[in-house]
Amino acid sequence: MSRAIMFRRRLVPLATALVLASTGVIAEARSAPGRSSPGPARTWTGTWEAAASGTAPALPGASIRNVVRTSVGGGAARVRLSNRLGTRPLRLGSVTLALQLPGEPGSPRAVAGSVRAVTFAGARSVTVPAGKDLVSDPVALRVPADAGLLVSVHTPLDSGPATYHRSALRTNFVAPGGDRTAQESGAAYTTGVGSWYYVTGVDVLAASAAGSVVALGDSITDGTGSSFGADRRWPDRLAARLRGLPAHRRPGVLNAGISGNRLLLDGRGPSALARLDSDVLSRAGVRTVIVLEGVNDIKGTPEQTDPRALEDAYRLVVRRAHARGVRVVGATITPYGGHGAYTPARESVRQAVNTAIRTHRIFDAVVDLDAAVRDPARPDRILPAYDPGDHLHFNDAGMRALADAIDLRTLTARPHGHRPSRLSPR
């Protein structure tokens, strides 16, 4: 390695640290002997996530403005970009991060003066190898909680299939020609798309020691059935509840739901077992994962007829999570009577799996979502007030009921092996 290259590699982290310190982003973590501490050390915590669910045709020459919403805030940010499902190296010409103009959730407009260049080892352009993710350098931007961010990506070349999250449940934007990543007005972003391209996570530098909670699930977690553009998925409602806690106890909430996802087999995105490291255990500050997976294994093709296979998979998730110091909350599978895929035989499997979740001491804690949303008169169905019409997913009221069934006290405790607490729906 040449001296010039070695010097540059040493210089980039130093320059980044100086920029952050000069903007007041990083507080001193130590105090001199005999002096009181100036405050808690700041750590990286996940504030938003979208799991890679598949690929879409690339948009060579375009700029893509992804709109994401934070759960917690911080004094700086960094962005995770993904070519995990791509087949060729991904060339990123430029990437920016900005605050979305408040009050305009369906707009590509940025707050004046908030656009920041995102760099990778000091470079604005970078190539992401096929099958890999890349986390940016820290970005000196103060990020509020419950705020819109704009992650804009320019792809100058056709880099093959684009890794994306198909169901964003909001409008994102494309500027068809040229690098428009630094544009504040958003005027060039004339085309709307319903997916997030390349961006799979945002972290913030925060004083909270509570870390983050990851919701690992399928379309119910992904938000199918909730209002478009309103951020009313159950993890969004959970984040809103957590914002009522003191700042030092307030974890970020990361949504790792993929519509159509299964626990055991790949299909719509990699299976939950296959993506556990990339979508859960590798995320910044993760302390707890809530697992709501299994209905697509039971009703999908091929269907899972042996409840023990799902129980064994849950136990594997718990072992892998505990090895990383992560607590696991298991959620019972919600009803879907009346849906086209429902059969009495499949209902028998669902009931057996739920019995195992409730009584077999698999998880650190159990949240009984089945009990929270089922119709007492017809327990194989969800309450009509929560049903958007397909008898499987949940409307906004149903999403709220799911989130409200979770006892917040269980989300920041340490994992304690096989001594699960039972959480009653409220």
Side-chain angles (χ1 to χ4, degrees), residues 219-413:
S219 55
I220 293 172
T221 300
D222 207 7
T224 301
S226 63
S227 295
F228 186 89
D231 296 308
R232 292 178 180 168
R233 311 164 191 85
W234 73 257
D236 299 321
R237 167 61 185 166
L238 178 61
R241 291 184 62 209
L242 288 165
R243 282 192 288 274
L245 297 177
H248 69 283
R249 293 177 47 213
R250 189 183 308 151
V253 177
L254 307 181
N255 188 334
I258 296 177
S259 292
N261 199 230
R262 300 174 68 146
L263 181 63
L264 296 167
L265 300 177
D266 294 348
R268 289 284 185 87
S271 71
L273 286 177
R275 64 191 183 93
L276 184 64
D277 285 333
S278 57
D279 288 345
V280 179
L281 302 181
S282 67
R283 296 291 164 155
V286 59
R287 301 285 186 273
T288 303
V289 54
I290 303 171
V291 179
L292 176 55
E293 289 266 13
V295 69
N296 291 319
D297 296 82
I298 295 169
K299 72 177 184 60
T301 303
E303 66 186 90
Q304 182 54 247
T305 59
D306 182 1
R308 290 173 298 182
L310 276 78
E311 180 176 349
D312 289 345
Y314 292 141
R315 291 189 185 278
L316 180 56
V317 169
V318 171
R319 285 199 300 272
R320 289 170 60 186
H322 282 185
R324 301 283 285 272
V326 175
R327 181 177 175 81
V328 187
V329 176
T332 52
I333 301 172
T334 52
Y336 66 103
H339 185 269
Y342 175 87
T343 67
R346 291 172 175 171
E347 174 66 6
S348 233
V349 177
R350 185 182 77 90
Q351 293 289 354
V353 172
N354 280 350
T355 296
I357 291 171
R358 293 182 183 109
T359 66
H360 290 191
R361 304 171 67 85
I362 301 168
F363 299 101
D364 295 298
V366 172
V367 55
D368 199 343
L369 297 184
D370 172 45
V373 299
R374 68 190 177 211
D375 185 346
R378 304 185 67 178
D380 64 337
R381 293 177 177 248
I382 63 176
L383 279 165
Y386 298 157
D387 190 349
D390 66 2
H391 312 302
L392 170 66
H393 299 104
F394 293 90
N395 58 21
D396 295 348
M399 291 290 180
R400 185 183 185 99
L402 294 174
D404 288 355
I406 298 169
D407 186 337
L408 302 186
R409 296 169 297 179
T410 69
L411 299 182
T412 54

